[in-house]
Amino acid sequence: MSLFSFVRKPRPAKTAQTAKDRLQILLAHERSTSGSAEADYLPMLQRDIIAAIRKHVPIGEQDVEVRMERGDQMSSLEINIDLPGAASKAG
Amino acid sequence: MSLFSFVRKPRPAKTAQTAKDRLQILLAHERSTSGSAEADYLPMLQRDIIAAIRKHVPIGEQDVEVRMERGDQMSSLEINIDLPGAASKAG
């Protein structure tokens, strides 16, 4: 089974300022036993991963967009981060 | 542009023991300035993320499979982890 078939939706640019780096992180937790929600550590992982990224790049709260979906057999987490661009600032 | 169009390839089960939980993590770093490899922190993030997961689940070295691709404008990192299943062990 292919995980991440749920992605593939093109995201429209949020701002006109397209000269930014972007980091997209997708996590999928596929469970063998349906309904075993006790093993659902995606929310904790989300915090930890964002903290890990912050060790390398300064990112603000408003630069992080998180989407989580919980299913019976698969939970998924999507984190989109606008990185401080190395390019020249427009505006 | 849709990040993660590179996934979608179904992975064959590595073992016959399919009653395992799986965690798949995909990172894509999309650069606005091509060739700015100095901002390529995916390898470091890889370490940090696996460490973050280990805080919640005991995973062995052999349970982690990493694939990295570096492009001019996009670098991507795929981490596949076999989790210790909550289900009954087959065999």
Side-chain angles (χ1 to χ4, degrees):
Chain A
M1 196 222 291
S2 136
L3 299 178
F4 288 110
S5 46
F6 64 92
V7 281
R8 273 195 285 157
K9 30 184 172 185
R11 295 183 346 115
K14 209 159 51 175
T15 63
Q17 190 180 345
T18 49
K20 272 202 166 179
D21 285 19
R22 281 205 301 164
L23 190 64
Q24 187 175 28
I25 302 163
L26 297 167
L27 285 97
H29 179 199
E30 191 185 23
R31 283 183 287 272
S32 56
T33 51
S34 55
S36 61
E38 82 279 358
D40 194 358
Y41 28 69
L42 286 188
M44 291 171 289
L45 273 181
Q46 170 194 333
R47 252 206 333 255
D48 291 343
I49 288 175
I50 293 174
I53 295 167
R54 282 224 172 86
K55 280 167 51 183
H56 304 291
V57 225
I59 46 170
E61 294 291 339
Q62 74 284 356
D63 297 325
V64 181
E65 182 198 302
V66 177
R67 205 174 313 166
M68 193 176 309
E69 282 176 42
R70 284 164 191 246
D72 193 40
Q73 291 207 297
M74 172 129 77
S75 294
S76 65
L77 177 67
E78 179 184 344
I79 306 175
N80 290 293
I81 301 174
D82 282 336
L83 297 173
S88 59
K89 281 186 184 173
Chain B
M1 195 223 290
S2 135
L3 300 177
F4 288 111
S5 46
F6 65 91
V7 279
R8 274 193 284 156
K9 29 184 173 183
R11 292 180 351 112
K14 209 158 50 175
T15 63
Q17 191 178 346
T18 50
K20 270 200 168 183
D21 285 20
R22 282 205 302 165
L23 189 65
Q24 188 176 29
I25 302 163
L26 297 166
L27 285 97
H29 179 199
E30 190 185 23
R31 282 183 288 272
S32 54
T33 52
S34 55
S36 61
E38 82 278 356
D40 194 358
Y41 28 69
L42 286 188
M44 290 172 291
L45 273 182
Q46 170 195 331
R47 251 206 333 254
D48 291 344
I49 287 175
I50 292 174
I53 294 166
R54 283 222 171 89
K55 281 168 49 182
H56 304 290
V57 224
I59 45 171
E61 294 291 339
Q62 74 283 358
D63 296 325
V64 181
E65 181 198 304
V66 177
R67 205 174 313 167
M68 193 176 307
E69 281 176 42
R70 283 164 191 245
D72 194 39
Q73 291 206 297
M74 172 128 77
S75 294
S76 64
L77 177 66
E78 179 183 344
I79 306 174
N80 289 293
I81 301 174
D82 280 336
L83 298 174
S88 60
K89 280 186 186 174

